[in-house]
């Protein structure tokens, strides 16, 4: 995702809702730094967890795949219930 692409999605409620739902459903989320403002707008706290994987290079893709293979990040559940 480019900065321009992230800017286009920033005002899209469906993009914000998609990310917020993935976070609330304890899903693993892969992101690029340009998407951080959109994530913050979706209510994802700045404190990152093991289910939020920055995809800054190809070497991070296996990390994302491994994290996503667990289907849910149950450690996030107490934080989600407090939001």
């Amino acid at each position: 995702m480019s900065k321009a692409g992230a800017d286009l999605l920033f005002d899209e409620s469906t993009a914000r809702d998609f990310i917020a739902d993935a976070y609330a459903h304890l899903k693993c989320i892969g992101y690029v730094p340009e998407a951080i403002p959109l994530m913050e707008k979706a209510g994802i706290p700045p404190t990152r967890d093991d289910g939020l994987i920055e995809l800054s290079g190809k070497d991070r893709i296996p990390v994302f795949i491994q994290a996503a293979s667990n289907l849910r990040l149950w450690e996030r559940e107490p934080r989600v219930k407090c939001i």
Side-chain angles (χ1 to χ4, degrees), residues 17-56:
D17 291 347
F18 182 83
I19 296 169
D21 286 348
Y23 186 81
H25 289 273
L26 312 177
K27 297 295 188 171
C28 184
I29 299 171
Y31 69 94
V32 293
E34 292 81 5
I36 291 174
L38 178 60
M39 292 169 59
E40 290 171 347
K41 188 173 183 179
I44 295 176
T47 304
R48 303 291 185 235
D49 60 36
D50 292 339
L52 299 171
I53 312 293
E54 183 179 338
L55 302 174
S56 55

Side-chain angles (χ1 to χ4, degrees), residues 8-19:
L8 283 173
L9 291 175
F10 188 79
D11 291 323
E12 287 288 330
S13 61
T14 53
R16 182 196 64 236
D17 291 347
F18 182 83
I19 296 169

Side-chain angles (χ1 to χ4, degrees), residues 21-28 71-74 76-77 80:
D21 286 348
Y23 186 81
H25 289 273
L26 312 177
K27 297 295 188 171
C28 184
L71 301 181
R72 301 261 194 276
L73 182 71
W74 294 107
R76 184 187 296 152
E77 189 174 29
V80 170

